[in-house]
Amino acid sequence: MADEQTKAGPLSMTSILIVDDDADVRQSLESRLRSAGHRIQCAQNGKEAVGAFIRFYYDDPFDVILLDIDLPDMNGCEILKLIRQEEELRGIRTGYGVTVIMQTGLKESWMDAFNKGCDDYIIKPYSFQDLLGKIEQKIKERKLNASSPDPQSP
Protein backbone atom coordinates (compact mmCIF):
# COMPACT_ATOMS: atom_id res chain seq x y z
CA MET A 1 0.00 0.00 0.00
CA ALA A 2 1.21 3.52 -0.74
CA ASP A 3 2.59 5.62 2.09
CA GLU A 4 0.54 8.51 3.42
CA GLN A 5 1.35 11.88 1.88
CA THR A 6 2.81 14.58 4.08
CA LYS A 7 0.75 17.79 4.08
CA ALA A 8 3.15 19.93 6.11
CA GLY A 9 4.61 23.06 4.61
CA PRO A 10 3.47 25.52 1.97
CA LEU A 11 1.16 24.44 -0.83
CA SER A 12 3.70 25.56 -3.41
CA MET A 13 6.04 22.70 -2.50
CA THR A 14 6.72 20.22 -5.26
CA SER A 15 4.69 17.02 -4.91
CA ILE A 16 6.63 13.94 -5.97
CA LEU A 17 5.56 10.32 -6.43
CA ILE A 18 8.45 7.87 -6.04
CA VAL A 19 7.82 4.53 -7.76
CA ASP A 20 10.42 1.88 -7.02
CA ASP A 21 10.19 -1.74 -5.88
CA ASP A 22 13.44 -1.45 -3.88
CA ALA A 23 12.43 -0.38 -0.36
CA ASP A 24 15.90 0.98 0.41
CA VAL A 25 15.84 3.20 -2.70
CA ARG A 26 12.30 4.42 -1.89
CA GLN A 27 13.17 5.21 1.73
CA SER A 28 16.43 6.97 0.83
CA LEU A 29 14.80 9.11 -1.86
CA GLU A 30 11.82 9.85 0.36
CA SER A 31 14.01 11.01 3.24
CA ARG A 32 16.34 13.13 1.10
CA LEU A 33 13.59 14.71 -1.00
CA ARG A 34 11.54 15.53 2.11
CA SER A 35 14.63 17.15 3.62
CA ALA A 36 14.93 19.20 0.42
CA GLY A 37 11.40 20.52 1.05
CA HIS A 38 9.26 18.33 -1.21
CA ARG A 39 6.01 16.52 -0.43
CA ILE A 40 6.42 12.81 -1.08
CA GLN A 41 4.20 9.83 -1.83
CA CYS A 42 5.65 6.37 -2.49
CA ALA A 43 4.51 3.33 -4.48
CA GLN A 44 6.26 -0.01 -4.69
CA ASN A 45 4.69 -1.26 -7.92
CA GLY A 46 2.75 -0.20 -10.99
CA LYS A 47 -0.70 -0.82 -9.55
CA GLU A 48 0.01 1.45 -6.57
CA ALA A 49 1.57 4.09 -8.84
CA VAL A 50 -1.40 4.35 -11.20
CA GLY A 51 -3.81 4.24 -8.26
CA ALA A 52 -1.98 7.08 -6.49
CA PHE A 53 -1.87 9.16 -9.69
CA ILE A 54 -5.64 8.80 -10.16
CA ARG A 55 -6.49 9.23 -6.45
CA PHE A 56 -4.54 12.48 -6.05
CA TYR A 57 -5.21 13.87 -9.54
CA TYR A 58 -7.90 16.42 -8.64
CA ASP A 59 -7.11 17.38 -5.04
CA ASP A 60 -3.33 17.35 -4.92
CA PRO A 61 -1.80 16.31 -8.26
CA PHE A 62 1.82 15.27 -8.49
CA ASP A 63 4.30 17.66 -10.08
CA VAL A 64 6.87 14.92 -10.69
CA ILE A 65 6.86 11.13 -10.84
CA LEU A 66 10.20 9.34 -10.37
CA LEU A 67 9.45 6.06 -12.10
CA ASP A 68 11.66 2.98 -11.99
CA ILE A 69 11.57 1.29 -15.35
CA ASP A 70 11.93 -2.26 -13.99
CA LEU A 71 9.07 -3.15 -11.64
CA PRO A 72 7.70 -6.61 -10.78
CA ASP A 73 4.07 -6.21 -11.90
CA MET A 74 4.53 -4.04 -15.00
CA ASN A 75 7.39 -2.09 -16.44
CA GLY A 76 7.74 1.66 -16.13
CA CYS A 77 6.90 2.20 -19.81
CA GLU A 78 3.52 0.50 -19.32
CA ILE A 79 2.84 2.69 -16.28
CA LEU A 80 3.89 5.79 -18.18
CA LYS A 81 1.53 4.89 -21.02
CA LEU A 82 -1.38 4.47 -18.57
CA ILE A 83 -0.61 7.83 -16.92
CA ARG A 84 -0.47 9.63 -20.28
CA GLN A 85 -3.76 7.97 -21.30
CA GLU A 86 -5.39 9.18 -18.06
CA GLU A 87 -4.14 12.71 -18.77
CA GLU A 88 -5.49 12.57 -22.31
CA LEU A 89 -8.90 11.48 -21.00
CA ARG A 90 -8.85 14.57 -18.77
CA GLY A 91 -8.00 16.86 -21.69
CA ILE A 92 -4.36 17.46 -20.82
CA ARG A 93 -2.22 17.95 -23.89
CA THR A 94 1.23 16.44 -24.34
CA GLY A 95 3.83 18.49 -22.49
CA TYR A 96 1.38 19.89 -19.94
CA GLY A 97 0.87 16.87 -17.69
CA VAL A 98 2.88 15.51 -14.81
CA THR A 99 6.66 15.46 -15.29
CA VAL A 100 7.91 11.88 -15.46
CA ILE A 101 11.58 11.09 -14.87
CA MET A 102 12.43 7.47 -15.57
CA GLN A 103 15.02 5.70 -13.42
CA THR A 104 16.90 2.92 -15.17
CA GLY A 105 20.05 0.89 -14.90
CA LEU A 106 20.40 0.59 -18.69
CA LYS A 107 20.88 3.36 -21.23
CA GLU A 108 18.93 1.41 -23.85
CA SER A 109 15.74 1.27 -21.74
CA TRP A 110 14.96 4.98 -21.85
CA MET A 111 14.32 5.18 -25.63
CA ASP A 112 11.01 3.32 -25.35
CA ALA A 113 10.14 5.55 -22.39
CA PHE A 114 10.66 8.72 -24.46
CA ASN A 115 8.41 7.29 -27.17
CA LYS A 116 5.68 6.82 -24.55
CA GLY A 117 6.01 10.34 -23.15
CA CYS A 118 8.62 10.52 -20.40
CA ASP A 119 10.20 13.92 -19.84
CA ASP A 120 13.67 12.83 -18.78
CA TYR A 121 15.65 9.88 -17.45
CA ILE A 122 18.44 9.23 -15.00
CA ILE A 123 20.73 6.20 -15.06
CA LYS A 124 21.32 4.29 -11.82
CA PRO A 125 23.45 4.69 -9.84
CA TYR A 126 23.20 8.48 -9.79
CA SER A 127 24.05 11.22 -7.34
CA PHE A 128 21.24 12.81 -5.37
CA GLN A 129 22.40 16.24 -6.56
CA ASP A 130 22.03 15.15 -10.21
CA LEU A 131 18.50 13.95 -9.50
CA LEU A 132 17.60 17.12 -7.61
CA GLY A 133 18.96 19.19 -10.51
CA LYS A 134 16.79 17.29 -13.01
CA ILE A 135 13.70 17.74 -10.84
CA GLU A 136 14.30 21.48 -10.48
CA GLN A 137 15.03 21.89 -14.20
CA LYS A 138 11.88 20.03 -15.24
CA ILE A 139 9.69 22.00 -12.81
CA LYS A 140 11.05 25.29 -14.21
CA GLU A 141 10.41 24.09 -17.77
CA ARG A 142 6.86 23.02 -16.88
CA LYS A 143 6.14 26.42 -15.29
CA LEU A 144 7.43 28.18 -18.43
CA ASN A 145 5.18 25.97 -20.59
CA ALA A 146 2.18 26.74 -18.37
CA SER A 147 2.76 30.50 -18.63
CA SER A 148 3.26 30.44 -22.43
CA PRO A 149 0.32 31.08 -24.74
CA ASP A 150 -1.40 27.95 -25.97
CA PRO A 151 -0.05 27.26 -29.49
CA GLN A 152 -3.37 25.64 -30.43
CA SER A 153 -5.45 28.70 -29.45
CA PRO A 154 -6.87 30.91 -32.25
Side-chain angles (χ1 to χ4, degrees), residues 6-27:
T6 298
K7 297 284 186 180
L11 293 175
S12 62
M13 292 171 38
T14 302
S15 180
I16 300 173
L17 174 62
I18 300 167
V19 185
D20 202 304
D21 59 321
D22 185 322
D24 292 336
V25 170
R26 275 194 324 273
Q27 291 167 356

Side-chain angles (χ1 to χ4, degrees), residues 108-127:
E108 295 77 27
S109 300
W110 61 264
M111 274 311 265
D112 189 35
F114 269 108
N115 291 334
K116 290 190 172 64
C118 88
D119 298 284
D120 207 341
Y121 71 97
I122 193 162
I123 297 174
K124 295 177 180 179
Y126 52 81
S127 78

